[in-house]
């Protein structure tokens, strides 16, 4: 059926490029070998996931599996607070405020601006609880510690640029590695501000009954993980600083764009690794799980008090318009943006529903739709400076907090005009239980 090879002779001229046909597969093979997929220890088996131990007590909660540990932490926080008030001779239980800061990448400049302007307005409360996801996680420790760290927020969100956050990888490294970018600059930025002094300051507030939580996504189990950053700071464990920094890096690790963060854990006497990424892969913002009924919990321990929640959404509520090209990648990108937009709004509705149930005052800040400044690239310093100024200016004049999520009773639009100094007066103080 097949003619002998000897009957065929090549008649094309021999050229210097001819040998490359044979060399190309070898070159490609070598390149792919150099860009081999990063290794890891095995993931925690599904049956042992609930036993996964990071090595520091009370460092985190798997809230979709069991929220009882977080509820007990809240009760213990109240007991520490009440003891401190009693020791100071305070006989009334003051109202409390909670702060939840969303993801949003470089749009975190808005939230940083709101906090700085809020300080300047003289109406910013001390928060009993601060939570953060993604860029909100990077803001959260400094928001938790209060106005003395406003200079850090201003510096990070007005003076940094793309080079301070990540370095693009080449195509082969991006495709066959674990991300398109290298976030060693962001790791260095976090390390510059997160030191032992910062952890000691957070630990001191933890002793007063205040809490700081940060969310990540466990990509192996596809579930949220809430990290108790106050407990980590207060542990005095020599690994605490590194763990604190790695959690912040993981919470802001946009999947595929930024590398995930690997955490060494132990379960059933065996060592494993968990892969964590941006908490925004599951939710854009969080406060506490709906399985915890704050009103019931508070009444049970005698902590009936006025509670106000402030949610800072580092994004607009209305969707950006675009003339989408009829090509696969632009269509897919647009669809992912749509999912993120609707997920973020859905998070607000969930939080609002829980706040209504638990009699918590709901307040929402978000990027106004009038802010339409384009950015030349991600983490464009000029863009971030302009957005920071918008958030600050709104807060300085008494931020007009929205009392409902978008579209609940009115069309999506800009925040209403300010009607007060930025915060409703709290009801009368409650007496401390004896």
């Amino acid at each position: 059926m097949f003619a002998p090879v000897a009957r065929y002779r090549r008649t094309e001229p021999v050229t210097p490029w001819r040998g490359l046909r044979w060399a190309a597969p070898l070159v490609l093979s070598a390149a792919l070998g150099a860009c081999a997929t990063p290794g890891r220890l095995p993931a925690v088996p599904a049956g042992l996931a609930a036993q996964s131990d990071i090595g520091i007590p009370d460092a985190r909660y798997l809230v979709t599996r069991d929220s009882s540990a977080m509820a007990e932490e809240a009760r213990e926080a109240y007991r520490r607070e009440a003891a401190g008030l009693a020791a100071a001779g305070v006989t009334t239980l003051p109202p409390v405020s909670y702060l939840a800061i969303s993801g949003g990448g470089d749009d975190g400049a808005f939230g940083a601006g709101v906090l700085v302007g809020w300080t300047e307005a003289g109406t910013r409360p001390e928060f009993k609880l601060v939570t953060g996801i993604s860029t909100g996680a990077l803001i959260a420790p400094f928001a938790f510690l209060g106005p003395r760290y406003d200079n850090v927020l201003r510096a990070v969100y007005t003076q940094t640029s793309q080079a301070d956050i990540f370095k693009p990888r080449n195509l082969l490294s991006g495709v066959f590695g674990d991300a398109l970018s290298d976030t060693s600059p962001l790791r260095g930025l976090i390390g510059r501000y997160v030191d032992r002094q910062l952890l000691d300051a957070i630990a001191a507030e933890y002793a007063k009954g205040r809490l700081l939580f940060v969310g990540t996504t466990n990509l192996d189990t596809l579930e949220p993980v809430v990290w108790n950053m106050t407990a980590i700071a207060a542990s005095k464990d020599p690994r605490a600083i590194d763990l604190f920094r790695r959690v912040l890096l993981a919470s802001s690790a946009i999947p595929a764009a930024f590398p995930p963060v690997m955490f060494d854990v132990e379960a059933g006497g065996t060592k494993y690794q968990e892969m964590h990424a941006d908490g925004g892969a599951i939710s854009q913002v969080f406060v506490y799980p709906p399985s915890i009924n704050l009103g019931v919990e508070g009444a049970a321990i005698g902590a009936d008090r006025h509670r106000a929640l402030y949610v800072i959404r580092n994004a607009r509520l209305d969707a950006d318009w675009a003339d989408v090209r009829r090509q696969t990648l632009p269509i897919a990108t647009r669809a992912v943006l749509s999912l993120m937009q609707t997920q973020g709004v859905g998070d607000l509705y969930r939080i609002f529903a829980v706040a209504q149930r638990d009699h918590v005052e709901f307040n929402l800040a978000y990027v106004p739709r009038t802010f339409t400044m384009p950015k030349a690239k991600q983490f464009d310093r000029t863009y971030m400076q302009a957005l920071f100024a918008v958030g600050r200016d709104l807060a300085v004049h008494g931020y007009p907090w929205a009392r409902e999520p978008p579209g609940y009773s009115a069309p999506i639009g800009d925040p209403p005009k300010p009607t007060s100094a930025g915060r409703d007066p709290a009801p009368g103080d409650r007496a401390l239980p004896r």
Side-chain angles (χ1 to χ4, degrees):
M1 295 175 61
F2 297 100
V5 174
R7 293 183 54 185
Y8 293 90
R9 297 176 57 190
R10 295 185 180 274
T11 57
E12 72 270 18
V14 176
T15 69
W17 308 105
R18 179 178 166 187
L20 292 181
R21 300 176 186 175
W22 302 99
L26 298 177
V27 172
L28 180 60
S29 176
L32 295 182
C35 300
T37 302
R40 60 166 294 183
L41 292 180
V44 181
L48 296 177
Q51 304 174 32
S52 179
D53 183 13
I54 197 70
I56 295 179
D58 304 316
R60 61 185 191 168
Y61 310 111
L62 307 181
V63 292
T64 57
R65 294 174 182 267
D66 182 12
S67 61
S68 60
M70 181 184 279
E72 179 56 29
E73 177 64 281
R75 289 189 287 269
E76 287 296 329
Y78 167 71
R79 294 183 187 111
R80 292 193 297 272
E81 179 194 10
L85 291 171
V90 178
T91 58
T92 57
L93 187 62
V96 289
S97 298
Y98 308 134
L99 175 67
I101 315 170
S102 84
D106 49 12
D107 284 348
F110 172 74
V114 167
L115 288 165
V116 170
W118 203 351
T119 296
E120 294 178 35
T123 56
R124 178 175 162 185
E126 179 181 83
F127 301 105
K128 168 79 170 176
L129 167 68
V130 176
T131 69
I133 277 182
S134 196
T135 194
L138 300 180
I139 295 172
F142 309 108
F144 178 79
L145 291 176
R148 57 182 161 151
Y149 282 88
D150 281 0
N151 62 321
V152 175
L153 293 177
R154 186 186 294 272
V156 170
Y157 284 95
T158 66
Q159 299 304 316
T160 57
S161 61
Q162 186 179 99
D164 299 305
I165 306 300
F166 67 88
K167 297 183 294 185
R169 290 174 172 170
N170 63 54
L171 182 60
L172 283 177
S173 295
V175 172
F176 294 98
D178 58 1
L180 298 175
S181 304
D182 172 7
T183 51
S184 55
L186 176 59
R187 185 167 60 248
L189 186 66
I190 292 171
R192 186 185 315 164
Y193 292 107
V194 176
D195 54 14
R196 186 68 255 177
Q197 182 179 356
L198 181 106
L199 263 66
D200 288 344
I202 291 173
E205 298 305 312
Y206 181 60
K208 299 175 185 177
R210 300 178 61 213
L211 297 170
L212 170 63
F213 294 156
V214 163
T216 65
T217 298
N218 183 332
L219 292 180
D220 296 321
T221 62
L222 289 183
E223 65 182 318
V225 178
V226 176
W227 297 82
N228 187 344
M229 307 300 275
T230 30
I232 294 171
S235 70
K236 303 301 182 181
D237 190 293
R239 299 166 293 177
I241 294 179
D242 180 65
L243 179 60
F244 198 105
R245 292 170 176 170
R246 288 166 62 80
V247 170
L248 295 184
L249 186 64
S251 185
S252 54
I254 305 167
F258 293 171
V261 176
M262 308 304 297
F263 290 93
D264 294 329
V265 298
E266 185 173 311
T270 303
K271 296 185 182 301
Y272 300 99
Q273 275 189 328
E274 295 176 351
M275 180 183 290
H276 287 244
D278 193 335
I282 287 182
S283 64
Q284 296 293 312
V285 64
F286 77 103
V287 186
Y288 55 88
S291 54
I292 296 178
N293 189 313
L294 203 59
V296 172
E297 289 283 344
I301 60 175
D304 182 22
R305 67 205 308 185
H306 178 262
R307 300 178 177 90
L309 167 64
Y310 296 89
V311 180
I312 298 179
R313 174 173 162 82
N314 291 303
R316 286 165 45 174
L317 290 178
D318 59 313
D320 288 326
W321 181 90
D323 184 358
V324 183
R325 293 197 308 275
R326 192 174 178 180
Q327 294 178 341
T328 301
L329 187 57
I331 292 171
T333 301
R334 190 66 174 167
V336 170
L337 290 175
S338 173
L339 289 172
M340 293 176 62
Q341 171 74 16
T342 53
Q343 177 203 41
V345 173
D347 289 337
L348 297 179
Y349 268 84
R350 184 190 69 252
I351 291 171
F352 178 72
V354 173
Q356 290 284 92
R357 181 198 68 186
D358 295 351
H359 306 291
V360 177
E361 177 191 316
F362 179 88
N363 302 272
L364 171 65
Y366 53 92
V367 177
R369 65 176 176 180
T370 50
F371 183 80
T372 57
M373 179 179 178
K375 51 186 168 184
K377 57 185 178 181
Q378 292 297 317
F379 301 98
D380 177 347
R381 182 181 296 176
T382 302
Y383 172 89
M384 293 168 68
Q385 289 173 343
L387 186 52
F388 179 94
V390 167
R392 176 190 168 276
D393 290 346
L394 282 168
V396 162
H397 295 95
Y399 194 92
W401 298 91
R403 305 300 184 186
E404 299 168 341
Y408 186 79
S409 60
I412 295 174
D414 288 338
K417 299 297 182 184
T419 56
S420 67
R423 182 179 185 274
D424 290 342
D429 295 342
R430 271 67 169 183
L432 277 171
R434 296 186 181 277

